[in-house]
Amino acid sequence: MGPSNFESIRNSLVPSKVEVFVWRARKRRIAVLAELDKRGVDLHSVLCPICNQDVETVDHSLVLCSLAFDIWEQVFKWWGLGNFSNLSIGEIFLGNLSIHITDLGKKIWQEVEWTCGYLIWKNHNHKVSRTSIGMRQLL
Ligand SMILES: [Zn+2]
């Protein structure tokens, strides 16, 4: 996913910090344990500290972890999209699910998805209070 692709998925409705987060999440450049481990950070465990059930990958923390999953299910219900199935975060952030609505509607739906992803990440990080781990290594 190069910079040119990032340009093509910009959304003027969201603050730039959300756009940057989406770009980083799509490039696997957010400080989940699986990515820190790949980059040589010494960790006791790569299991998700919230559920302790799976490796903390980008998709786990943003989609599959129970807390995130419940939020996406509610958002999909709210938008009349029925049951939320296991989409990857990349698929979710594309925001091009087959909803037959106007272009503006699609842009708003993408805004909702991006903002939800951002807030899920903020919440996840808040819960694990990951201040000691080198986030800079992912920049
Ligand atoms: Zn989890």
Side-chain angles (χ1 to χ4, degrees):
M1 200 60 56
S4 54
N5 272 334
F6 172 57
E7 293 307 319
S8 70
I9 62 151
R10 295 198 74 154
N11 187 320
S12 57
L13 298 177
V14 301
S16 59
K17 66 182 177 183
V18 174
E19 280 190 330
V20 169
F21 163 75
V22 167
W23 176 79
R24 292 186 61 176
R26 287 165 62 95
K27 297 196 80 171
R28 306 268 177 271
R29 287 191 187 184
I30 57 174
V32 289
L33 297 178
E35 295 300 323
L36 293 170
D37 185 56
K38 271 189 215 162
R39 290 162 174 81
V41 178
D42 195 16
L43 304 162
H44 296 300
S45 164
V46 291
L47 279 185
C48 172
I50 290 176
C51 67
N52 271 306
Q53 285 178 2
D54 213 338
V55 173
E56 194 197 49
T57 60
V58 173
D59 277 304
H60 178 82
S61 62
L62 297 181
V63 183
L64 298 171
C65 196
S66 53
L67 190 70
F69 197 88
D70 289 348
I71 292 169
W72 288 119
E73 269 195 323
Q74 293 303 316
V75 169
F76 273 62
K77 233 178 253 172
W78 165 37
W79 275 71
L81 294 172
N83 287 333
F84 171 64
S85 55
N86 285 8
L87 297 167
S88 72
I89 196 63
E91 289 167 320
I92 290 173
F93 281 164
L94 276 179
N96 63 355
L97 299 174
S98 53
I99 320 171
H100 299 293
I101 49 178
T102 62
D103 284 350
L104 179 61
K106 283 177 182 161
K107 197 171 178 184
I108 293 169
W109 166 237
Q110 188 184 54
E111 176 199 21
V112 167
E113 289 182 300
W114 287 15
T115 306
C116 278
Y118 178 78
L119 293 174
I120 286 169
W121 177 242
K122 294 289 268 189
N123 188 41
H124 183 92
N125 260 341
H126 178 68
K127 284 198 187 307
V128 300
S129 62
R130 188 163 298 157
T131 50
S132 60
I133 299 174
M135 301 209 20
R136 284 174 191 283
Q137 305 202 32
L138 297 171
L139 294 171

